[in-house]
Amino acid sequence: MDDILPCDEMIDHAGHIRAPWRPVLDVMMSLGTAELGARKAALDRQARFNAPFGAIAPGRYDPLPVPLTEFEFAGLEASVRQRATLLGALVEDIYDRQTLLDDGTVSPDLVFPNPGFLRSLRNGSPLASPRLGLYGVDVIRLPEGGFQIVADHTGAVPGLGHALAIRRFAAGVLPELFRGVTLMSQRPAVDSWQDYLHGLAGYRPVAVLASPPGTVAGGDPVDCALLARAIGAMLLEPGDLAVRGGLVQLKTLGGLVPVPVLIRRLTGQHIDPLEMGGKPGGGISGLLGALRAHRLIMLNAPGSAIVEAPGFAALLPHLARQILGQELMLGYGPADGRESRVPLAGIDRRANGLDHAPLTMRLFAWHDGHGWQVLPGGLGFARLPDGGMLMKDIWVMEASEPRQITGARAAEPPPRSNSLAAIGLPSRVADNLFWLGRAVERLEWAARLMMLALPRLTSGTSLPREAAELGLLGRCLAHAKLIPRELGGKFSSGRLLRSALARRRRLGSLAAEVARLLTASSERLSPSMLATVESSLETTRAAIALDEETAVPSVLGFAACFAGIAAENMSRGGGWLFLEMGRRLERAENASESLAILLDGPEERLQPGLGLGIALADSVLSYELSYAGVIAPAPVLDMLIADASNPRGLYFQCAALYDVLQRLDAVDDALEAKRLMEEARSMGARLPLPGQDSLPLRLTVLADRLRGLSDQIERRFFTLLPVAHQMDEDEQASLDMPKVLAAWESKRA
Amino acid sequence: MKYRLTHRTLYHYAHHVGIGLHFMHLLPRARPGQLVHAATLVILPKPADRVDEQDHFGNRTSLIAQMSAHKSLDVVLHAEIEVSLPRAPEPEASMAWEETSKAAFRAPEAAEFRYPSALASPDEAIALYAAQHFPPGQPIMVGLLSLMAGIHADMAYRPGVTAVSTTAIEALKTRAGVCQDYAHLMIACLRALDLPARYVSGYLRTYPPPGETARRGADQSHAWIGAWLGPHDGWVDFDPTNNLVVHDEHVTLAWGRDFGDVSPLRGVILGGGRHSLTVEVDLQPINEEESRDAAYVSGDSGI
């Protein structure tokens, strides 16, 4: 294929193809541009289905690797080690004895005005673990040969998650590439780091601390999540953690669990609102105290990003001689457009039809207690003309004959078991799933009401039965906030209700709430589940945006899809229990409240309400089959309220709640659910006798009790998440001056 | 001069506070010319956790955690302190200010305080304001006295027009404020000239107005500045609010780049609702105490 042009990364300065590129080039030639483009699209899909949050935007990965020889890597590895050692020593000195400042090696201009210099973490002693424990470095290959460093990452090191995941994604879409090559495995390095981290944590949880997805400072949530997965760590947000008893603790359903090791993926500038100010939710109050007291290890410690400033890089040659007695192995400077070009898989649309782009390589290193280990590989960034980046895997080819097949396969052995299973569900996740369950059910309920109402709002006859139905529907719609409350009276016209329904656009806002909670809960849904549910929700939201009335079947389709996924794809453990609770509570509340409306009337005029009740519970067919369609109060009430086998009946919801609460060991709440079951059963058994409370009243009371149960559940499981606030700093230093001055003057006189 | 110091900070909350974390700069530091014979911080309710440390500036900090429900927080400092800061050099004999600025760059104890900070950074107006007091070659002490007198004359002491977050730039525009604003302005002026200046928080001995008796608890926190006069003369403190050079009537609590570094009591709390704050400060020379004791009346002083 002569449409593949040679470029610097692939061709050496003598015009020869670099050895590691041969197998890659062979595959490129045999596949051709079009097929490579298709493989690239396949990689997008692969990544989307495998990545957490399902949120990898298309076109971020390129399946063609950047192969390096073992020899090239060995040189880079030594340089990265040397640099990490020097930067680590520099950070320690700046935050401890400041000898390099005192002797003039480091200019005060580099440290004191730098907002990254966090004085709160300088208290005259080292922390429990080196401040720099994880390091990333950006390298380019120079036209004249050799490499040059263009940037250091010593704070929150971005990209490691992608670097540890991309090979697995790519192996699935370009298997040809992996057949003829032997790559240096990343597994031993990652395993030993993982062992080290879990050892540091005393086999308590290790967590990646990231900003909540969607926040401005959030960085790349997918990268954080991939990293957490790769090393068996939890993915947490500041709001999940609190300092109690001097320790940083995770708020779980089962109580507080210490988290002794955090990998920091958010800026250190506002990480402790107590000492640094800012919103309490944006950080963890007391965290710096825990770090200073050696009760927490953080990679990297806040403030370590200070040495990313280029001014420090200029000192490294001197420091290498002074500290290590060595020459600095790799120079540092801006890229100035001298990056090597690297071939892209297919012609990228965003690259203006180019098939190659300038390349920066990011290498990663971590301290494992003995020394710096460099990941054999890394992440290549091909820069597109629009400023976007394509990420590429960096390969280190083993020159020697393969001792074993080490090319990464999709079936690479899974990371060893981690401690996730032993830990309770974070309260935040349970909270989100609970409300997701409620939101989906609320959306479905609104759609069911609309489906029931819409045909009846258009008929326009004056039959008394239809007028009665209209009145009841108006009240139900108003109660569900689908129309304004004042239209829920008895005498609104169908046309009026219909236009009010169209104006309110309630389905749109309910679906938006579902989407928000889905995103918030995404870490607990598998990528395929998430992709399925999201795509169904997308279709539905598009339909809703077009026309709420015609979107109703689509909404019901989404609800069925969601319910099916929850029933068939989720394990019945922690997360599902909360989703289930939310759904059952919402459905039970909706059912009891609308039945209270539909059954509000003397017995002889209950017919229309009973009919609507059956339709709303989707039980028309069952009823016809069981009772030949003759609507009579007793069998209808039995089916809608007391029937244990009707998944839309009241008893069924209460029984489901009882099961879940029992499994969560919430004894009092389970007991209340049991009482609600009994109440539902007794309500369905017969119509109340004269002098007893009417059915609507009992249903209203039941709905109230369900809300009470919901509050109780929230208090029991989620109250570890109250919002803290800053006390005003209102002790302004001031003196009552007139008096003081008078006194001074009298003294002087 | 030897003093007995009591500084009480009392918060009352409308509702119970479930959990409270507090970070305090309330224990006085030692410094050349200031001996802290005793200093204890009594906190009620008794915190579940308390860690006393030294910060980057050498100030004493306390980090406390209140873990049980409480409706008030009472923090009382009792201290005995002896102060006699070294006398400032003869103005005309001090270094030229440009020389001080150059020397400061390489002086570990001073370099940090040359740089702007959040509340005390100069702008053009401040630089112009400062320059009039520092003609070329001016001995630094002469310039400092002139600048202090200028600020004292140009600023009006007026509580309530500024807040804890008011910057030096705003203070110069308003030309009014409290001791914190006087201090921030003077610091920013010196930094405009690349001269090191720091914010000092503490207490000032007060005298009862003529014809009145002293009221216990009527003293208050105060703030002034430290300026670096060169490797030989070191740090000298100036109180621009009162236009005087600090010697033995100021007790130092802590110092930093500006108020933000030495905020006496910060907190993040759960619950609490609205709160009210009472501060009582009492600073008495120990040898005079007996004679004045009979005349004490108890008094609150809110701010």
Side-chain angles (χ1 to χ4, degrees):
Chain A
M1 290 274 159
D2 45 5
D3 55 350
I4 293 168
L5 293 171
C7 58
D8 303 347
E9 193 56 39
M10 195 158 60
I11 309 288
D12 66 18
H13 54 277
H16 302 299
I17 292 168
R18 294 180 202 277
W21 277 94
R22 284 184 197 283
V24 179
L25 193 62
D26 285 348
V27 171
M28 288 167 69
M29 306 274 273
S30 70
L31 290 179
T33 312
E35 180 61 19
L36 271 178
R39 299 293 180 93
K40 181 161 174 287
L43 178 59
D44 280 346
R45 289 194 295 275
Q46 186 85 8
R48 186 172 159 81
F49 282 108
N50 280 294
F53 304 114
I56 293 191
R60 290 188 66 190
Y61 290 134
D62 183 300
L64 285 183
V66 183
L68 298 176
T69 62
E70 208 174 346
F71 177 74
E72 282 172 326
F73 177 70
L76 284 170
E77 186 184 25
S79 316
V80 171
R81 267 200 194 119
Q82 184 197 44
R83 201 170 176 86
T85 307
L86 290 173
L87 289 171
L90 197 47
V91 175
E92 292 301 331
D93 187 68
I94 288 170
Y95 281 98
D96 193 356
R97 298 170 55 201
Q98 296 196 333
T99 50
L100 296 171
L101 264 165
D102 290 355
D103 72 13
T105 309
V106 173
S107 157
D109 284 346
L110 278 175
V111 178
F112 296 123
N114 191 326
F117 178 50
L118 299 187
R119 289 161 176 82
S120 315
L121 275 187
R122 177 165 184 262
N123 66 334
S125 63
L127 301 179
S129 167
R131 288 165 202 260
L132 187 65
L134 179 60
Y135 171 56
V137 58
D138 291 354
V139 179
I140 60 167
R141 188 194 291 275
L142 295 172
E144 59 269 29
F147 297 94
Q148 177 188 290
I149 285 161
V150 294
D152 294 302
H153 301 274
T154 60
V157 180
L160 183 55
H162 290 297
L164 295 177
I166 186 171
R167 191 166 301 174
R168 190 161 44 89
F169 297 156
V173 302
L174 265 182
E176 298 91 339
L177 258 182
F178 290 83
R179 263 175 218 142
V181 299
T182 309
L183 304 184
M184 198 182 282
S185 171
Q186 302 183 333
R187 177 68 68 206
V190 176
D191 278 352
S192 84
W193 189 43
Q194 190 177 339
D195 285 349
Y196 169 67
L197 291 176
H198 287 277
L200 270 185
Y203 299 93
R204 284 177 159 160
V206 172
V208 173
L209 179 65
S211 303
T215 50
V216 184
D220 180 352
V222 176
D223 184 35
C224 299
L226 288 171
L227 174 61
R229 280 191 186 177
I231 59 169
M234 309 186 85
L235 178 64
L236 299 177
E237 300 167 9
D240 292 331
L241 296 163
V243 175
R244 299 285 182 269
L247 295 170
V248 174
Q249 310 222 27
L250 168 64
K251 298 175 253 190
T252 74
L253 295 175
L256 295 169
V257 177
V259 182
V261 176
L262 290 174
I263 296 171
R264 178 170 63 86
R265 292 302 303 269
L266 39 76
T267 162
Q269 303 274 323
H270 308 292
I271 206 158
D272 184 348
L274 176 61
E275 292 191 35
M276 300 162 145
K279 275 199 197 131
I284 303 157
S285 288
L287 180 124
L288 295 178
L291 273 169
R292 289 192 304 256
H294 295 194
R295 311 290 293 273
L296 171 71
I297 288 167
M298 191 172 241
L299 278 67
N300 291 320
S304 52
I306 186 173
V307 293
E308 287 178 4
F312 285 102
L315 301 176
L316 292 188
H318 172 73
L319 284 181
R321 270 171 250 131
Q322 188 181 323
I323 298 178
L324 303 174
Q326 296 172 351
E327 289 303 311
L328 192 67
M329 296 177 197
L330 269 193
Y332 175 98
D336 288 336
R338 289 179 303 156
E339 300 99 326
S340 56
R341 312 276 134 166
V342 71
L344 305 177
I347 292 172
D348 195 276
R349 200 168 33 82
R350 285 184 301 156
N352 296 342
L354 293 180
D355 57 5
H356 60 274
L359 173 79
T360 304
M361 289 177 270
R362 184 165 302 160
L363 304 180
F364 300 91
W366 44 74
H367 202 283
D368 69 359
H370 304 292
W372 285 96
Q373 303 300 327
V374 182
L375 179 74
L379 199 58
F381 292 93
R383 196 178 67 245
L384 301 177
D386 67 0
M389 293 282 185
L390 275 174
M391 289 184 273
K392 287 168 157 286
D393 191 12
I394 294 178
W395 282 6
V396 180
M397 314 281 262
E398 282 198 333
S400 47
E401 282 302 300
R403 290 180 293 275
Q404 56 180 30
I405 305 295
T406 47
R409 301 291 143 125
E412 196 173 47
R416 59 192 66 181
S417 71
N418 55 51
S419 47
L420 282 185
I423 302 287
L425 195 64
S427 300
R428 165 183 53 90
V429 176
D431 198 8
N432 285 335
L433 285 168
F434 179 79
W435 287 103
L436 177 62
R438 279 203 159 221
V440 172
E441 189 59 34
R442 197 168 290 174
L443 175 65
E444 180 183 349
W445 189 261
R448 282 194 182 283
L449 271 175
M450 282 178 71
M451 192 160 81
L452 195 65
L454 285 171
R456 289 172 170 82
L457 300 184
T458 41
S459 62
T461 70
S462 55
L463 293 170
R465 184 194 160 88
E466 288 192 353
E469 280 188 341
L470 204 58
L472 292 171
L473 280 171
R475 286 175 62 194
C476 287
L477 290 171
H479 194 85
K481 300 197 174 85
L482 289 164
I483 56 171
R485 184 160 287 276
E486 60 275 14
L487 291 181
K490 284 191 174 164
F491 304 107
S492 296
S493 80
R495 198 151 16 116
L496 189 65
L497 292 182
R498 185 168 185 157
S499 66
L501 206 49
R503 271 200 309 276
R504 171 112 337 172
R505 305 191 65 81
R506 176 88 171 139
L507 289 184
S509 58
L510 288 171
E513 178 65 2
V514 170
R516 184 186 73 79
L517 287 162
L518 193 60
T519 309
S521 316
S522 52
E523 66 191 85
R524 287 289 157 152
L525 304 174
S526 79
S528 74
M529 275 161 61
L530 192 61
T532 313
V533 173
E534 273 184 341
S535 103
S536 169
L537 182 60
E538 254 167 58
T539 315
T540 303
R541 289 185 75 185
I544 291 174
L546 223 56
D547 180 1
E548 295 221 338
E549 285 192 11
T550 57
V552 166
S554 174
V555 172
L556 294 177
F558 162 73
C561 159
F562 187 89
I565 290 266
E568 296 299 324
N569 297 48
M570 285 183 83
S571 80
R572 296 294 191 266
W576 179 85
L577 294 172
F578 285 87
L579 190 67
E580 173 78 355
M581 261 198 307
R583 292 178 61 207
R584 296 301 167 197
L585 270 169
E586 183 72 29
R587 188 177 290 183
E589 276 175 39
N590 288 333
S592 49
E593 280 168 350
S594 22
L595 280 175
I597 293 170
L598 296 175
L599 301 179
D600 185 14
E603 194 182 335
E604 58 280 12
R605 278 196 265 147
L606 282 185
Q607 280 274 340
L610 291 170
L612 289 174
I614 295 176
L616 198 52
D618 213 2
S619 305
V620 176
L621 192 58
S622 320
Y623 191 81
E624 297 237 336
L625 290 175
S626 307
Y627 303 102
V630 183
I631 294 190
V636 174
L637 295 181
D638 180 58
M639 178 171 268
L640 296 185
I641 301 178
D643 187 352
S645 64
N646 176 7
R648 299 204 173 262
L650 253 179
Y651 181 89
F652 189 96
Q653 316 310 318
C654 298
L657 279 171
Y658 172 71
D659 277 353
V660 169
L661 287 165
Q662 265 209 321
R663 289 190 54 193
L664 286 169
D665 215 19
V667 182
D668 331 343
D669 298 346
L671 203 62
E672 171 68 358
K674 186 91 187 162
R675 285 191 217 106
L676 295 177
M677 284 163 69
E678 284 156 14
E679 170 67 2
R681 175 145 285 168
S682 83
M683 264 194 280
R686 58 187 159 71
L687 285 173
L689 300 169
Q692 288 184 326
D693 282 346
S694 73
L695 214 43
L697 183 63
R698 287 174 70 181
L699 283 162
T700 309
V701 171
L702 186 75
D704 276 343
R705 285 173 66 182
L706 284 162
R707 273 189 293 272
L709 180 59
S710 176
D711 289 348
Q712 195 132 326
I713 288 169
E714 279 185 67
R715 269 200 299 278
R716 176 189 293 272
F717 294 107
F718 314 135
T719 41
L720 286 166
L721 297 167
V723 180
H725 57 97
Q726 289 274 9
M727 270 167 61
D728 307 334
E729 286 179 17
D730 43 9
E731 196 191 356
Q732 187 178 16
S734 67
L735 282 168
D736 188 356
M737 284 319 290
K739 212 177 265 180
V740 170
L741 288 180
W744 273 101
E745 263 147 40
S746 76
K747 185 192 166 218
R748 279 175 190 158
Chain B
M1 187 67 74
K2 208 169 175 183
Y3 295 97
R4 182 162 295 150
L5 167 68
T6 310
H7 179 177
R8 179 177 199 201
T9 311
L10 177 62
Y11 283 92
H12 277 293
Y13 306 104
H15 308 292
H16 278 105
V17 170
I19 291 172
L21 298 173
H22 300 280
F23 185 67
M24 309 184 285
H25 281 97
L26 277 174
L27 285 167
R29 64 177 296 154
R31 61 180 292 188
Q34 174 167 305
L35 284 172
V36 180
H37 293 298
T40 54
L41 211 48
V42 180
I43 302 163
L44 284 174
K46 197 172 176 326
D49 247 336
R50 171 172 165 182
V51 182
D52 287 359
E53 295 171 281
Q54 255 191 20
D55 70 8
H56 163 71
F57 301 102
N59 303 313
R60 298 167 72 182
T61 62
S62 309
L63 187 60
I64 63 160
Q66 301 282 9
M67 303 306 293
S68 47
H70 55 284
K71 283 190 84 169
S72 66
L73 173 68
D74 191 4
V75 181
V76 187
L77 161 71
H78 298 283
E80 272 186 31
I81 297 157
E82 195 170 340
V83 190
S84 179
L85 298 193
R87 288 282 177 195
E90 280 306 310
E92 295 297 340
S94 61
M95 261 174 117
W97 68 269
E98 298 95 330
E99 296 302 312
T100 316
S101 166
K102 262 184 230 151
F105 185 74
R106 286 289 170 217
E109 78 272 23
E112 174 162 26
F113 298 97
R114 296 160 61 244
Y115 299 96
S117 61
L119 297 176
S121 60
D123 65 352
E124 249 176 73
I126 287 182
L128 272 174
Y129 184 86
Q132 54 181 323
H133 300 285
F134 288 88
Q138 172 94 301
I140 183 160
M141 189 70 195
V142 176
L144 281 162
L145 291 172
S146 159
L147 174 64
M148 175 167 71
I151 289 176
H152 183 255
D154 293 340
M155 293 277 289
Y157 190 92
R158 209 176 298 143
V161 296
T162 55
V164 285
S165 56
T166 301
T167 63
I169 294 171
E170 290 158 357
L172 182 63
K173 282 189 191 131
T174 320
R175 301 243 169 174
V178 295
C179 53
Q180 175 179 323
D181 306 300
Y182 283 68
H184 282 156
L185 176 57
M186 185 159 174
I187 293 168
C189 285
L190 295 173
R191 290 180 184 166
L193 300 163
D194 273 341
L195 290 169
R198 67 192 182 194
Y199 182 96
V200 187
S201 72
Y203 312 89
L204 169 65
R205 178 181 183 183
T206 56
Y207 296 88
E212 285 185 32
T213 49
R215 293 165 68 235
R216 175 163 278 175
D219 300 332
Q220 290 197 9
S221 305
H222 189 38
W224 59 95
I225 77 137
W228 194 72
L229 271 61
H232 181 260
D233 293 317
W235 289 95
V236 172
D237 285 13
F238 298 82
D239 180 352
T241 318
N242 296 305
N243 192 22
L244 55 93
V245 179
V246 173
H247 173 54
D248 65 359
E249 290 178 308
H250 289 67
V251 170
T252 301
L253 185 58
W255 63 59
R257 292 165 298 161
D258 57 35
F259 172 79
D261 284 334
V262 296
S263 173
L265 196 152
R266 293 166 181 267
V268 170
I269 55 176
L270 294 178
R274 295 176 60 83
H275 65 251
S276 66
L277 167 65
T278 313
V279 178
E280 292 168 19
V281 174
D282 193 54
L283 184 70
Q284 296 300 332
I286 286 181
N287 45 4
E288 291 178 25
E289 197 166 14
E290 288 77 11
S291 60
R292 297 174 59 175
D293 234 340
Y296 285 141
V297 227
S298 178
D300 285 357
S301 93
I303 292 181

